[in-house]
Amino acid sequence: MKFYIDSADIEEIKQANAMGMVDGVTTNPSLVAKTGRKHEDVIKDICAETGGLVSAEVLATDADGMFSEGMELAKLADNVVVKIPMSDEGLVAVKRLTSEGIRTNVTLIFSPIQALLAAKAGAALASPFVGRLDDISTNGMELISQIRQIYVNYGFKTEILAASIRHPIHILEAALIGADIVTVPFKVITNLTQHPLTDKGLAQFLKDAEKVPQ
Ligand code: G3P
């Protein structure tokens, strides 16, 4: 399973990249806004930091606008993937961008049918939002499982990018189901190596090592 970081903060991305935890990056307008920087500058810096795919989201909501914005975003770097929100207009834009050889990531997916349509439109990535479904007492991971079954049934090449990840169990469940990618916030990434027995074991090793004659 590939690990992407869900962030537009270049310092977070550099730290996670140093840990080998950045197979790619997803951004969205809210994450970019937090940086206080121009969108294109943020994306250029991220694309230079990682060789993996970097999702950059359009702001237009009409097909022509999404297509134009997407073509411009794709010029920023070879590893840019154009992020398109799920909608009728978005599907038109995905088909047009795909026909131009531009990879797309269809975002804000909350139903298996939306994911099916994204795959049929030719999206390279589909982003179902697990955490936001959990937030409204709906089983977000069930969506990942349903999408996985649909994509296997019909041999779709679209990769499932499990998004809106809130904690390590989301990552475990996504891996057990067989999501292709999880995109993880930095604060979750930095918790993944932690375990009390690891800490306890290391402390004992170091304590015992002190008894070894030098
Ligand atoms: O960036 C897409 C998605 O991962 C954002 O999820 O719910 O943390 O805003 P959320």
Side-chain angles (χ1 to χ4, degrees):
M1 185 167 78
K2 286 174 274 191
F3 278 72
Y4 284 19
I5 183 171
D6 197 30
S7 175
D9 182 318
I10 193 65
E11 293 310 316
E12 286 184 351
I13 294 167
K14 286 180 177 177
Q15 286 184 60
N17 205 19
M19 294 163 61
M21 294 294 288
V22 180
D23 295 316
V25 181
T26 53
T27 71
N28 64 46
S30 303
L31 293 171
V32 172
K34 285 179 183 175
T35 70
R37 301 176 63 208
K38 288 177 65 178
H39 190 199
E40 66 178 76
D41 293 341
V42 170
I43 299 303
K44 282 180 182 176
D45 284 353
I46 295 173
C47 287
E49 173 60 27
T50 173
L53 299 183
V54 176
S55 289
E57 190 160 342
V58 299
L59 292 178
T61 54
D62 64 297
D64 287 344
M66 290 180 191
F67 177 74
S68 301
E69 260 192 80
M71 292 298 285
E72 290 306 307
L73 287 170
K75 291 175 185 171
L76 296 177
D78 291 342
N79 51 331
V80 163
V81 175
V82 178
K83 214 176 189 185
I84 301 282
M86 169 49 68
S87 67
D88 293 352
E89 293 289 303
L91 292 179
V92 173
V94 167
K95 285 185 69 70
R96 287 178 61 188
L97 287 164
T98 303
S99 69
E100 295 291 329
I102 306 296
R103 285 167 295 201
T104 58
N105 174 3
V106 177
T107 190
L108 291 168
I109 287 177
F110 294 96
S111 79
I113 295 301
Q114 287 178 320
L116 173 56
L117 297 182
K120 285 180 63 65
L125 306 171
S127 293
F129 280 32
V130 175
R132 293 192 191 186
L133 285 168
D134 287 1
D135 291 347
I136 60 166
S137 305
T138 303
N139 185 335
M141 212 39 82
E142 174 63 23
L143 173 60
I144 304 296
S145 183
Q146 291 173 325
I147 296 170
R148 174 87 175 122
Q149 183 176 338
I150 291 168
Y151 284 13
V152 168
N153 288 351
Y154 298 99
F156 285 120
K157 298 295 182 238
T158 302
E159 292 193 283
I160 302 169
L161 194 165
S164 191
I165 298 294
R166 294 279 191 272
H167 48 68
I169 299 303
H170 275 161
I171 298 171
L172 170 61
E173 291 176 336
L176 291 172
I177 290 168
D180 299 285
I181 308 163
V182 285
T183 191
V184 187
F186 185 69
K187 65 178 185 289
V188 175
I189 287 175
T190 53
N191 275 338
L192 295 179
T193 61
Q194 307 304 308
H195 195 292
L197 290 181
T198 303
D199 296 342
K200 184 179 178 182
L202 180 59
Q204 188 61 52
F205 286 161
L206 296 175
K207 183 179 178 186
D208 292 344
E210 290 172 2
K211 303 169 191 168
V212 176
Q214 298 302 321

